[in-house]
Amino acid sequence: FIWGSSFILIKEASHVLTPSQVAALRLFCAGLVLLPVTIRQLKNIPRNKIIFVLLSGLVGNFIPAILFPLAETKIDSSLAGFLNSLTPIFVIITGILFFKSAFQQSKIAGILIGFTGMVVLFLANGLPDLQHISYSSLVLIAAFLYSLNINMVGKYLGQTSSVAIAAVSFSSLIPLSLIVLWYTGFFNLSFTSTPVLKSVAAGCTLGVMATAIGSIIFYMLLKRAGALFSSMVTYGMPFVALFWGILAGEHITVLQVVGLAIILAGVYLSSLKRS
């Protein structure tokens, strides 16, 4: 629910802020709210694991946080959310290529079935504006980086506290985020302007909820369910989009319901344990 709402928040924040400002504000707020936790948790991370925690912040958060708002300056948030659903497939590819992971055929089949449901759901909403389709590659890069981060955390940080991983990785990005905000003129904005306040509020909410709290919950899931299954959280995002659509009074079609049912079937198949 948290991550499924993030694309709308990115779009709202981007009304006034530049993509780099959205990313920097998001990560600054996440790091700031987790800073007290970092002070307590830093001693609990083994020295040989610190490098992976810092890489997690850079690869799994900082770079994708810039790529998504940059992509959404030209493509719809719905298209960005759909392309982000490729993350589980990238998890399989990067896991095999770089982390020597072995996946059960039933889980891979579940991933593909879930993705089929995503395609059905995507087509049920109508084709998006493809005029700036090249910007979709930025979302694909972000999804690829997400998959690297998921596999890295699953393999090298399995015994490290989920709260510690999130807190230290985000807090380490505070200086870099401040530099970006200062360099891009964020502090020169008119903070008495309503549009500016709305965009800043969306960026801060994005940082605290979708980045800080959402990441802690995700890392907990990652340790309990593994890299491949936890990455299927991206297939839950259409349910959130559907929820917001119902609240907005949008019409729900039969094809949308079919797509959601296929997604659930894929998730169920991937969750089955080998007998």
Side-chain angles (χ1 to χ4, degrees):
F1 181 82
I2 292 172
W3 278 355
S5 303
S6 64
F7 298 102
I8 299 299
L9 290 171
I10 290 174
K11 207 71 174 179
E12 182 64 34
S14 298
H15 286 162
V16 173
L17 305 180
T18 66
S20 56
Q21 288 174 340
V22 173
L25 179 61
R26 173 183 187 175
L27 295 171
F28 172 75
C29 291
L32 193 64
V33 77
L34 291 174
L35 189 57
V37 181
T38 299
I39 296 173
R40 295 196 305 269
Q41 291 286 340
L42 187 59
K43 63 179 182 296
N44 297 326
I45 301 179
R47 290 186 178 181
N48 63 334
K49 301 293 185 181
I50 287 291
I51 183 62
F52 295 112
V53 175
L54 297 179
L55 278 175
S56 176
L58 185 64
V59 175
N61 296 286
F62 187 79
I63 300 176
I66 293 177
L67 294 177
F68 271 107
L70 182 59
E72 289 192 48
T73 59
K74 298 296 183 182
I75 67 174
D76 295 334
S77 59
S78 59
L79 177 58
F82 169 73
L83 294 172
N84 189 53
S85 69
L86 288 167
T87 299
I89 296 177
F90 283 138
V91 166
I92 297 174
I93 296 173
T94 57
I96 293 174
L97 291 179
F98 305 116
F99 297 93
K100 300 180 180 178
S101 302
F103 298 105
Q104 298 176 24
Q105 290 184 353
S106 62
K107 292 187 179 296
I108 296 177
I111 294 288
L112 296 178
I113 290 174
F115 182 71
T116 301
M118 282 291 303
V119 173
V120 172
L121 190 63
F122 183 66
L123 294 178
N125 294 327
L127 292 175
D129 181 11
L130 301 180
Q131 183 180 1
H132 302 287
I133 194 65
S134 61
Y135 277 77
S136 64
S137 62
L138 299 176
V139 181
L140 294 178
I141 294 172
F144 179 78
L145 293 176
Y146 280 150
S147 71
L148 285 176
N149 183 52
I150 290 171
N151 277 306
M152 181 181 68
V153 171
K155 182 170 183 177
Y156 298 111
L157 298 174
Q159 303 303 316
T160 307
S161 165
S162 300
V163 176
I165 296 172
V168 175
S169 63
F170 289 127
S171 295
S172 68
L173 296 174
I174 289 178
L176 185 58
S177 300
L178 279 174
I179 292 173
V180 172
L181 289 173
W182 173 80
Y183 183 77
T184 57
F186 172 81
F187 298 107
N188 296 327
L189 294 174
S190 176
F191 292 100
T192 57
S193 168
T194 300
V196 172
L197 288 176
K198 285 184 177 180
S199 290
V200 170
C204 291
T205 303
L206 192 64
V208 175
M209 295 300 297
T211 307
I213 297 176
S215 294
I216 290 174
I217 297 173
F218 177 75
Y219 287 142
M220 292 171 63
L221 173 65
L222 176 59
K223 293 183 180 185
R224 295 187 182 190
L228 188 58
F229 182 78
S230 60
S231 67
M232 292 189 74
V233 70
T234 56
Y235 289 161
M237 294 180 183
F239 290 86
V240 181
L242 186 63
F243 169 77
W244 288 119
I246 292 174
L247 289 184
E250 294 180 1
H251 177 65
I252 307 302
T253 66
V254 175
L255 195 57
Q256 286 176 312
V257 176
V258 171
L260 293 173
I262 295 174
I263 291 172
L264 286 177
V267 174
Y268 173 74
L269 181 60
S270 292
S271 67
L272 294 177
K273 295 183 180 297
R274 180 181 296 175
S275 60

